[in-house]
């Protein structure tokens, strides 16, 4: 499974190098790349934001810069996910479905978001991690990478069995290893 993360803040993703995901990357079970959107600014001051097309308050990420960053990683089979508070709320079923993909491109917005014209052109799915507002899409992207990677073959302990039980409002997920239950 390959993840390409388009972000203005690649340094925010350091935590993913730890523990289970860090080992999964070392073992080549998952591949996570960070693409700094700012590297695609053609402006001499490396400017990436602009006033929204058609008006509105605040600033948005410029469409041309986001599109060029996307072009640098896109592939026929890649699925592009935009992390936004307006997206469909992520749940375990969606996580499991996403783990069947081979290449996810995660687009992280900052400022007031990203120019709508480029979103309409490149985004396949808009996902939120819950009903609250954050300063950027980076933490949601990390949540998605962590939850999806657990389903990738070889990321969790080899002989583990996943047992998932549901009741009305809660979902409990436990990973049962050979001798003990965690
Ligand atoms: C896209 C559009 C995801 C991304 C707007 C992202 C919460 C979630 C963002 C915005 C996110 C989630 C920019 C709107 C900052 C709010 C103060 C980044 N917040 N933002 N504004 N729930 N923020 O998954």
């Amino acid at each position: 499974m390959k993840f390409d993360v388009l972000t203005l803040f690649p340094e925010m993703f350091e935590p993913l190098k730890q523990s289970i995901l860090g080992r999964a990357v070392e073992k080549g079970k998952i591949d996570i790349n960070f693409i700094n959107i700012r590297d695609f600014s053609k402006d001499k001051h490396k400017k990436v934001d602009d006033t929204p097309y058609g008006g509105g308050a605040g600033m948005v990420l410029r469409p041309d810069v986001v599109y060029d960053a996307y072009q640098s990683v896109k592939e026929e089979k890649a699925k592009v996910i935009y992390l936004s508070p307006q997206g469909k709320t992520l749940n375990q079923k969606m996580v499991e479905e996403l783990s069947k993909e081979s290449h996810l491109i995660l687009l992280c917005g900052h400022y007031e978001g990203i120019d709508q014209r480029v979103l309409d052109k490149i985004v396949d799915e808009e996902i939120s991690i819950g009903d609250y507002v954050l300063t950027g899409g980076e933490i949601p992207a990390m949540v998605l990478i962590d939850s999806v990677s657990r389903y990738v073959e070889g990321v969790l302990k080899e002989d583990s069995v996943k047992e998932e039980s549901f009741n009305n409002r809660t979902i409990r997920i436990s990973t049962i290893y050979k001798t003990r239950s965690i």
Side-chain angles (χ1 to χ4, degrees), residues 102-128:
S102 58
H103 183 188
L104 296 178
I105 298 174
L106 307 180
L107 183 52
C108 305
H110 245 86
Y111 309 101
E112 292 309 308
I114 299 179
D115 188 293
Q116 193 59 43
R117 292 166 295 175
V118 70
L119 296 177
D120 293 343
K121 210 173 155 72
I122 70 173
V123 172
D124 297 307
E125 260 189 75
E126 192 165 338
I127 294 179
S128 160

Side-chain angles (χ1 to χ4, degrees), residues 79-154:
K79 176 168 244 177
V80 179
I81 297 172
Y82 179 45
L83 290 314
S84 113
Q86 271 92 42
K88 183 169 190 289
T89 309
L90 188 68
N91 59 38
Q92 197 65 27
K93 180 92 191 90
M94 288 159 70
V95 166
E96 197 170 349
E97 288 303 315
L98 288 172
S99 74
K100 295 170 187 161
E101 300 287 335
S102 58
H103 183 188
L104 296 178
I105 298 174
L106 307 180
L107 183 52
C108 305
H110 245 86
Y111 309 101
E112 292 309 308
I114 299 179
D115 188 293
Q116 193 59 43
R117 292 166 295 175
V118 70
L119 296 177
D120 293 343
K121 210 173 155 72
I122 70 173
V123 172
D124 297 307
E125 260 189 75
E126 192 165 338
I127 294 179
S128 160
I129 60 162
D131 292 337
Y132 39 81
V133 176
L134 300 165
T135 55
E138 284 76 13
I139 292 171
M142 278 190 260
V143 167
L144 193 143
I145 292 170
D146 188 295
S147 58
V148 169
S149 295
R150 292 181 67 256
Y151 281 101
V152 174
E153 188 73 45

